[in-house]
Amino acid sequence: MMKKIYTVIALLSLATTMMGQAKLPKLMVVPSDVWCSENGCMESMEVMGEVVTYPDYKRAMQTSRELMAVIGKINTLMAERGFPLQDMSQTLKSIERTSQENSVLRTKTSGAGLAESPVDRLRRTARADIIIEVDWGVNINGPKRSITYNLRGLDAYSNKQVAGAEGTGAPSFSAEIPVLIEEAVQNHMDPFTTQLREHFDDLLEKGREVVIELQIPDNGQDLDFETEYSGKELAEVIDEWMHDNTVEHRYSKSDGTENYLLFDQVRIPIYRPNGMAMDADAFARQLRNYLRGAPYNITSKVVNRGLGRCLLIVGEK
């Protein structure tokens, strides 16, 4: 009898240990767009004829010791709760080493470049699952100061908010912003991390959410999405592939013409069979490989548009 009890206890201990070793989402802490705008840390770039502004994280890190200290404090609070972190400053250095290569990449036929923003490059290089945006303001009341803060957990693939915490800390005589941040957010960190864990559990069960676009190039070819193969139009073939390769067959075909297909809310596995993270680019490459096989024999080009979005140019490379 005692032997059975010891066996049950051992199995329960093993199960608890395995649960504690479950994969948690990788995080990266960044300043919010509002903070960057208020502190003159924005940059502009032209995308398809329109000027778009993005946070200049490099300038922010180089010009604000306060920001570096706040990010370091949030990193510490998250690490204490067992969440793996990607350091933004090191990630930015990695981007610098590869940005020149990306800037000259072009498709062989049409000469199209990579439609990827600086923020997309940061997220792709960091491979973070969740981006934590931090914003704060200092309230002064005589000799005392307090912090009003806002934390937002954003899914790095879908850009949807999955966790949040905000509030104002108790007034303090402390002059150190990181200390005020820690005092202000301490009571909200456990509910915040609980939301992050719940979101990641949902990803593990139902997959990541990405967007896949398919476009027929204007190059005079006879191929389009109404071209038939064994009685099925190419659009139907792709639709069936999506059904077979998405998690729980979860996806939505939002738009479809003879030259363009748009699939959103596409749930892809969070990990590949070899344990590497799956993103929109890797998923689109699987579709590309399928289309270039018999009986279709279609050449395609994958254009990376960030972690959660990819374009497949069908009919040329």
Side-chain angles (χ1 to χ4, degrees):
M1 180 66 177
M2 291 298 295
K3 185 176 181 181
K4 289 183 178 180
I5 293 175
Y6 288 135
T7 301
V8 171
I9 292 174
L11 290 173
L12 288 173
S13 299
L14 178 61
T16 302
T17 301
M18 291 178 68
M19 287 177 65
Q21 293 175 346
K23 289 186 177 181
L24 289 173
K26 291 183 180 180
L27 310 174
M28 183 168 63
V29 182
V30 304
S32 71
D33 290 7
V34 172
W35 187 95
C36 289
S37 179
E38 291 179 348
N39 289 272
C41 297
M42 301 292 286
E43 64 176 325
S44 301
M45 67 178 293
E46 187 173 319
V47 179
M48 300 180 67
E50 292 187 18
V51 177
V52 183
T53 58
Y54 298 95
D56 188 342
Y57 294 130
K58 180 180 178 181
R59 186 189 309 169
M61 295 296 288
Q62 290 178 340
T63 58
S64 177
R65 290 182 179 273
E66 188 177 274
L67 172 64
M68 293 183 63
V70 167
I71 288 179
K73 179 57 66 177
I74 300 296
N75 281 347
T76 299
L77 292 172
M78 298 304 298
E80 289 173 354
R81 288 158 177 79
F83 283 85
L85 292 151
Q86 300 294 318
D87 184 75
M88 186 173 73
S89 61
Q90 294 302 314
T91 301
L92 291 171
K93 291 178 182 178
S94 178
I95 290 174
E96 259 188 286
R97 291 193 294 266
T98 59
S99 61
Q100 290 300 318
E101 296 177 12
N102 288 343
S103 67
V104 299
L105 285 177
R106 296 291 184 271
T107 61
K108 293 179 181 178
T109 306
S110 66
L114 295 183
E116 190 176 35
S117 74
V119 176
D120 285 332
R121 289 197 294 271
L122 175 70
R123 295 180 178 184
R124 174 175 52 78
T125 306
R127 309 299 302 183
D129 299 293
I130 295 171
I131 304 297
I132 298 179
E133 283 193 350
V134 58
D135 183 30
W136 72 94
V138 181
N139 310 306
I140 301 176
N141 185 11
K144 294 184 178 182
R145 302 200 302 173
S146 64
I147 286 286
T148 298
Y149 69 91
N150 183 26
L151 293 178
R152 292 203 309 155
L154 304 175
D155 186 294
Y157 292 75
S158 66
N159 291 322
K160 293 181 178 179
Q161 181 171 332
V162 298
E166 58 184 21
T168 300
S172 171
F173 289 103
S174 174
E176 299 294 329
I177 297 299
V179 175
L180 292 174
I181 284 283
E182 181 177 17
E183 292 173 350
V185 306
Q186 193 70 254
N187 293 334
H188 295 87
M189 287 307 292
D190 288 335
F192 182 71
T193 54
T194 296
Q195 293 176 52
L196 296 180
R197 290 174 189 269
E198 289 174 349
H199 173 67
F200 199 64
D201 288 343
D202 179 74
L203 294 183
L204 289 171
E205 180 184 351
K206 300 177 182 176
R208 299 188 191 279
E209 187 175 309
V210 302
V211 175
I212 303 294
E213 296 177 272
L214 298 98
Q215 180 81 50
I216 300 293
D218 184 15
N219 59 5
Q221 65 179 344
D222 294 330
L223 177 72
D224 61 32
F225 293 122
E226 294 181 350
T227 302
E228 293 193 4
Y229 296 86
S230 301
K232 291 183 180 179
E233 292 186 353
L234 181 57
E236 295 178 79
V237 171
I238 294 170
D239 201 17
E240 290 181 359
W241 186 92
M242 284 286 182
H243 177 272
D244 293 339
N245 289 273
T246 49
V247 177
E248 297 183 353
H249 317 300
R250 293 173 179 263
Y251 69 99
S252 175
K253 184 179 177 182
S254 298
D255 195 5
T257 69
E258 63 184 36
N259 294 311
Y260 179 74
L261 297 176
L262 174 62
F263 295 91
D264 61 10
Q265 302 180 61
V266 178
R267 291 283 191 153
I268 66 174
I270 193 169
Y271 296 114
R272 306 180 208 181
N274 62 4
M276 293 177 64
M278 176 79 84
D279 58 15
D281 180 84
F283 187 73
R285 290 180 186 280
Q286 292 181 352
L287 176 55
R288 178 202 63 183
N289 294 341
Y290 177 74
L291 292 177
R292 72 182 177 189
Y296 315 111
N297 302 314
I298 300 173
T299 299
S300 301
K301 173 73 175 181
V302 175
V303 179
N304 192 328
R305 290 185 166 174
L307 285 175
R309 194 179 190 102
C310 208
L311 169 67
L312 197 64
I313 302 173
V314 180
E316 77 164 38
K317 187 171 185 178

